[in-house]
Amino acid sequence: MLPLWFTLTAVAAFIAMEGVAWWTHRYIMHGRLGWIWHRDHHEPHDKTFEINDLYSVVGAVVGTGLFVLAWLTGLWWVRAIAVGVTAYGLVYAFVHDGLVHQRWPFHWMPRNGYARRLVQAHKLHHAVRTRKGAVSFGFVFAPDPHRLNAILKSRRTGEAR
């Protein structure tokens, strides 16, 4: 029974991380202080590294801290949460840095399907280069790009705030 609960807990942690990532992206990275690290990610550049990459370092420290806590306490559920958080971080690295921003040695742009939807949603997020007014703050679960585009258009024309 424990392997089932371990797996369910890890999967729940992975799914919960999208909410944590959305909230962090919306209110910290696009917040007054967090924008200091995140701003360069919204500006055109040809750098290999961005100040924004420090957020990934923070995430890695949190994930490592959870594994250390699991080792110190021997609690299986803490280890399961650490696995879910780390898995999310790996998926984030491949999806956000690799697929969306093409920062890996491989370059692949999906023509359709969910991967294409992820790319489109994140590109619409980057259509706004300021701290305010952006859409689509998630990283793995992407909203409908047509809806996001409509929101951006309505904001440009002043129909909605």
Side-chain angles (χ1 to χ4, degrees):
M1 185 67 136
L2 188 58
L4 174 63
W5 284 109
F6 185 93
T7 302
L8 291 174
T9 303
V11 169
F14 180 93
I15 293 168
M17 278 304 297
E18 179 69 359
V20 170
W22 184 96
W23 189 91
T24 302
H25 190 191
R26 172 67 182 89
Y27 294 107
I28 294 178
M29 293 179 182
H30 281 256
R32 188 181 312 261
L33 291 175
W35 186 249
I36 294 167
W37 282 8
H38 191 60
R39 177 180 34 234
D40 73 330
H41 184 62
H42 281 262
E43 296 171 349
H45 59 80
D46 57 358
K47 298 178 286 186
T48 302
F49 295 104
E50 307 170 347
I51 297 169
N52 182 70
D53 294 336
L54 292 173
Y55 284 114
S56 294
V57 173
V58 170
V61 168
V62 169
T64 302
L66 286 167
F67 277 111
V68 170
L69 183 62
W71 177 68
L72 290 173
T73 62
L75 297 171
W76 67 267
W77 56 271
V78 176
R79 183 174 298 130
I81 291 171
V83 167
V85 168
T86 302
Y88 185 87
L90 291 169
V91 169
Y92 165 84
F94 282 103
V95 169
H96 180 263
D97 290 344
L99 177 64
V100 175
H101 291 291
Q102 303 286 310
R103 291 178 70 188
W104 295 100
F106 60 87
H107 297 286
W108 171 69
M109 187 58 63
R111 294 178 197 258
N112 53 33
Y114 192 75
R116 178 70 177 169
R117 182 175 168 152
L118 281 170
V119 172
Q120 289 173 321
H122 200 74
K123 295 289 185 190
L124 287 168
H125 173 76
H126 280 271
V128 176
R129 298 201 182 191
T130 61
R131 187 168 73 84
K132 296 186 180 206
V135 294
S136 187
F137 293 94
F139 293 110
V140 178
F141 304 116
D144 177 27
H146 297 294
R147 188 175 65 81
L148 296 175
N149 199 24
I151 292 168
L152 285 173
K153 281 184 182 179
S154 70
R155 287 180 182 168
R156 282 188 209 119
T157 61
E159 293 173 19
R161 282 266 178 228

